[in-house]
Amino acid sequence: MGIRKAVIPVAGLGTRFLPATKSLPKEMLPLLNKPAIQYIVEEAVSAGIDDVLLITGRLKRAIEDHFDRIHLVEKHLEMSGKTELLRIVVEPAGLANLHYIRQPEPRGLGHAVLQARWHVGKEPFALLLGDDVYQGDPAAISQLIAVHEETGMSVVGVLPVSMAETGRYGIADFGPEDANPAKGPVLARDFVEKPDPEEAPSNWAIMGRYVLTPDIFEALEETPKGRGGEIQLTDALRTLARRGRVCVVALQGERYDVGDPVSFVKSTIAMALRDPAIGPEIRDFVTALLAEGVRQAAAAAEEPGAEKRA
Ligand code: UTP
């Protein structure tokens, strides 16, 4: 069966981005002029999906408002003849059939996905995390859908990370020894949530894109609270992997993470530099800043006593 539905969980607390996320959902943080969540809905739509379920929570109403009409602003733009601005303001409301379910409390990504059970029913579905934006052609989720259509399995998108970073991600265990998710889909043996480097089975990390078969819901029901007292999606994926029902494949394209301030700044700079309209101006700005930094460092090194201080 083709993939008709997408689930996007956006109910997390965004603690890594406090205090900005005290009242602003992190999924509403903008990359250039668009909130992250809009890129993600657009990605699902580009893969032919028009039924999108957002798992939302308290303090996340701004997301629903973004995908709604705003007549006061529209009228103002219409009267002042700003037709392009009017178009981009109206656009999000017509992107897809959007549905919302609340996760009553943020009890983990696995628990958030479980809220989608009755909406999704007995069909495979796409899962896109609300703080990872991908750009590329084909879209990240389309790459996974193609693998699902070939294999009929659940498919998990992965990217390599440095061994020092394994403790921040769900890490895939796969075989045989020479298997390489960059060369095509490989069968997953297991997954480990945020392992220390010495316990990590590989350096391939789960990166926010999945196609899941509906047996994930039974696996989630049976999953006890894991790391951090939360129901972890990675733990439910282990159950399916041990049945030989999951494969992993490297995601192609650019990834922009808005989940914490450092990643967000890097993502903003990278996207701005790649943007044909503003890229040259941003490049000049960054180059001048770097040159200023070099000049200041050189001046400090020449100051009397600098050697002693160093
Ligand atoms: P994260 O772990 O990145 O989000 O979950 P978080 O919990 O909001 O972030 P920090 O660690 O506290 O800063 C990935 C995605 O899953 C959603 C989040 O909204 C995010 O888009 N999520 C997470 C839920 O919907 N419910 C949860 O209970 C946890």
Side-chain angles (χ1 to χ4, degrees), residues 9-16 26-27 103 106-109 112 129-131:
V10 295
L13 294 179
T15 54
R16 284 169 297 155
K26 74 172 165 186
E27 298 81 6
Q103 183 187 16
R107 289 172 50 200
L109 178 58
L129 298 199
D131 52 3

Side-chain angles (χ1 to χ4, degrees), residues 15-30:
T15 54
R16 284 169 297 155
F17 223 130
L18 283 168
T21 44
K22 208 172 149 189
S23 66
L24 172 78
K26 74 172 165 186
E27 298 81 6
M28 284 300 293
L29 288 166

Side-chain angles (χ1 to χ4, degrees), residues 141-196:
I141 199 65
S142 304
Q143 297 163 30
L144 303 192
I145 291 173
V147 175
H148 168 77
E149 281 168 357
E150 260 170 48
T151 61
M153 289 189 195
S154 286
V155 187
V156 176
V158 289
L159 283 175
V161 296
S162 72
M163 280 318 272
E165 288 179 308
T166 57
R168 289 171 47 194
Y169 300 94
I171 299 291
D173 181 2
F174 48 82
E177 238 6 73
D178 59 346
N180 181 352
K183 294 195 178 144
V186 299
L187 196 63
R189 285 195 289 234
D190 200 357
F191 294 93
V192 188
E193 182 65 8
K194 304 191 168 125
D196 291 335

